Amino acid sequence: MREKLKANAHPLFIPIGQEENFSGVVDLVQNVAYYFADDGAKDDPLGLHPVTKDIPDNLKEQAREYREKLIEAVSDFDDVVAEKYLGGEEISVGELMLGIRKATISLKFVGVVPGSALKNKAVQRLLDCVVNYLPNPLEVATIKGQDSDGQEVSVVVDDSAKVAGLAFKLWSDPFVGRLVFFRVYTGALRKGTSLYNPRTRRSERVSRLVRMRANDREEIDVAYSGDICALVGVKDVITGDTLCAEGLDVRLEPPSFPEPVISMSVEPNSKGDQEKMSIALQRLVAEDPTLRVKTDTDTGQTILSGMGELHLDIIVDRMKREFKVEAAVGKPQIAYRETILSTADGEGKFIRQSGGKGQYGHAIVKIEPNEKGKGIEVINEIVGGVIPKEFIKPTTDGIMEACNNGVVAGYPVVDVKVRIVDGSFHEVDSSELAFKMAGIFAFKEAMKKASPILLEPIMSVEVTTPEEYQGDLMGDINRRRGTIQGIENKAGAAIIAAYVPLENLFGYVTDIRSLSKGRASASVTPSHFEQVPASLLAKIVESSSKAPARS
């Protein structure tokens, strides 16, 4: 913890034995040893009553050494402990506990408790430490919120004040319906109370209050400042909402959630499941703020984004178990783009003659590369009325429509300048539709001759990793066709900046965690587009459902 996490960590207990021989802990503050019955004694299944004994002889020296270091560390935070420690005086248990409490509340000291949650060993000691060393609601800093005008408002912890709290989690319970997990910051919340939601500007009645104990629910009548409970009956609430008493105008700061790091496409197995999937995803997103759902406008896919592949796997499993929606997941399609490298001319003619009034449209265009990021520009350079004014807009519309499907693999075209330079019309047969089709044909022909290329999205990747894994992660970036932009070293960590094609980033965050034993993290943001290497072009064109048919 000191080396890897740079924490000022000190043991409050040391273990007696380890792994299958772990039988108790030595309390460095009380200077005693606690022994636990294996797998919980019959008369004490939760290990609430461990046997207290003297510290075993083989651990006395180690306990003395660690206690000395603990007192030395705590003396930096408590003057009484510091004075007695420097004077060589005996420090009482009460004084040491008070010093540890001050140190812990300062957030600059980390007490460490060994134990086994599986066997219920030392869990009770951990709970004792929560009570003894962590702050109660009266000791934390005054909570800051905002009123409806955006002005700062202080919320003082007081059971007799008007109630205010934060909804920090939603959960669908099969027996009671929707549960809203609620932290009471001030006041006392009683069941039957109406709470005001500043976000919706509506009030809702709390029909029941429950205290959650794992999967069990305990009905309660009142929850006080600092309590965490679950509300039954409130409906129009999302994670992060403030709920408060009528007349109290305050919004508490909602919890912050990390940005998603991985995405995958999700498709229902049948058309009948489409609506059910939409409802399921709506409910799941309301419960889990780290889950995002969007429809990719380029590919039409439904994209799920979350904290990792396991996170998304669980979401898909919940859709199946709780909402009876069968869905297939896969790698999201990549939104490629197309552009040109040279200048070319194109001519488009749309002529139809079928007895009565025919169709006639004729346009000649010149296309050239545009500046990066400028998109599509269409310029009318017609002179002398060779194409009448009323047919210029349909011709432009046809060009813009043609830009939606390029000639390489059928992807949208970007950064091209198109000039309408010539054409002709028929007094009777010309129409808007004919000139729109002529614009499409002219653009397609010109683009085929203008050295068209396929562009792939490049992501800006910043990886933070302990220095010992730097080489492995740089090698991994190179294998993904990435280019390293720079490396910065700070306090034993390396920050690697690179550009990597999006196509090679599926599952990247999971992979780097495997390479670094879970200690590396990465942020991935869109950067720009670059030409697809010739070696991959044929594969992408072949796999693209948008690719133009080959005659």
Side-chain angles (χ1 to χ4, degrees), residues 133 328 417 486 509 511 513 521:
Y133 304 132
K417 189 176 286 186
V509 174
D511 292 344
R513 284 177 182 159
S521 61

Side-chain angles (χ1 to χ4, degrees), residues 12-13 27-30 70 93-94 96-106 109 111 113 125-136 139:
L12 303 177
F13 300 81
D27 186 335
L28 299 178
V29 177
Q30 306 275 1
L70 175 63
V93 170
L96 182 54
M97 288 178 71
L98 186 60
I100 294 171
R101 182 179 177 81
K102 287 180 182 176
T104 304
I105 292 173
S106 76
F109 171 93
V113 183
R125 302 284 76 79
L126 175 63
L127 294 175
D128 289 344
C129 290
V130 168
V131 174
N132 293 333
Y133 304 132
L134 295 185
N136 68 51
E139 292 175 309

Side-chain angles (χ1 to χ4, degrees), residues 225-518:
S225 300
D227 284 354
I228 290 175
C229 59
L231 316 182
V232 180
V234 292
K235 292 180 175 61
D236 192 8
V237 174
I238 61 173
T239 302
D241 273 356
T242 297
L243 299 176
C244 54
E246 298 276 359
L248 183 60
D249 184 12
V250 62
R251 281 193 186 191
L252 300 168
E253 183 180 351
S256 57
F257 300 101
E259 287 300 307
V261 296
I262 190 170
S263 301
M264 61 172 59
S265 66
V266 56
E267 303 289 341
N269 286 353
S270 66
K271 282 196 173 181
D273 280 344
Q274 182 72 51
E275 190 176 343
K276 284 164 64 180
M277 187 181 86
S278 177
I279 294 168
L281 289 176
Q282 198 175 350
R283 291 268 296 276
L284 290 167
V285 167
E287 287 181 19
D288 185 352
T290 60
L291 179 69
R292 310 279 172 86
V293 178
K294 67 173 183 178
T295 300
D296 192 310
T297 52
D298 293 310
T299 64
Q301 289 182 305
T302 300
I303 304 295
L304 273 184
S305 302
M307 294 294 99
E309 289 183 76
L310 178 62
H311 180 201
L312 296 183
D313 286 344
I314 290 169
I315 292 296
V316 172
D317 182 60
R318 285 188 64 192
M319 283 170 55
K320 183 178 178 181
R321 285 187 295 105
E322 297 175 24
F323 300 96
K324 308 296 184 256
V325 176
E326 295 281 351
V329 298
K331 184 176 176 182
Q333 292 175 15
I334 307 298
Y336 293 100
R337 295 288 184 267
E338 296 183 23
T339 192
I340 57 173
L341 297 177
S342 61
T343 301
D345 296 333
E347 183 176 11
K349 276 189 177 181
F350 184 76
I351 302 172
R352 293 285 184 275
Q353 204 64 45
S354 55
K357 186 176 183 295
Q359 296 280 4
Y360 183 92
H362 175 215
I364 297 173
V365 302
K366 184 186 288 286
I367 68 172
E368 60 190 75
N370 207 352
E371 290 178 45
K372 271 193 176 181
K374 283 279 191 177
I376 304 295
E377 283 186 64
V378 181
I379 301 167
N380 175 24
E381 294 186 352
I382 293 296
V383 291
V386 291
I387 298 179
K389 267 188 180 179
E390 64 266 27
F391 296 136
I392 296 296
K393 186 178 184 304
T395 307
T396 302
D397 291 344
I399 291 167
M400 296 302 293
E401 186 176 310
C403 290
N404 292 330
N405 301 94
V407 299
V408 180
Y411 288 100
V413 180
V414 294
D415 302 337
V416 172
K417 189 176 286 186
V418 186
R419 303 177 191 277
I420 307 172
V421 295
D422 203 358
S424 62
F425 73 103
H426 189 280
E427 290 284 358
V428 177
D429 292 347
S430 286
S431 66
E432 291 189 1
L433 173 63
F435 272 96
K436 182 177 181 180
M437 297 305 296
I440 292 173
F441 295 156
F443 179 83
K444 294 281 188 185
E445 182 184 292
M447 190 173 174
K448 284 175 184 174
K449 299 188 288 187
S451 308
I453 59 169
L454 191 66
L455 302 172
E456 63 180 340
I458 305 297
M459 310 301 280
S460 175
V461 178
E462 187 176 276
V463 184
T464 304
T465 175
E467 287 178 344
E468 61 258 43
Y469 305 110
Q470 179 179 323
D472 291 340
L473 294 182
M474 288 174 65
D476 182 64
I477 288 172
N478 290 327
R479 283 191 292 277
R480 296 173 188 269
R481 295 194 290 120
T483 53
I484 308 289
Q485 298 299 307
I487 302 165
E488 187 180 350
N489 294 84
K490 281 185 183 175
I495 301 170
I496 306 167
Y499 289 133
V500 185
L502 175 61
E503 194 255 343
N504 294 323
L505 281 177
F506 185 69
Y508 179 63
V509 174
T510 304
D511 292 344
I512 65 167
R513 284 177 182 159
S514 299
L515 287 170
S516 63
K517 298 182 181 173

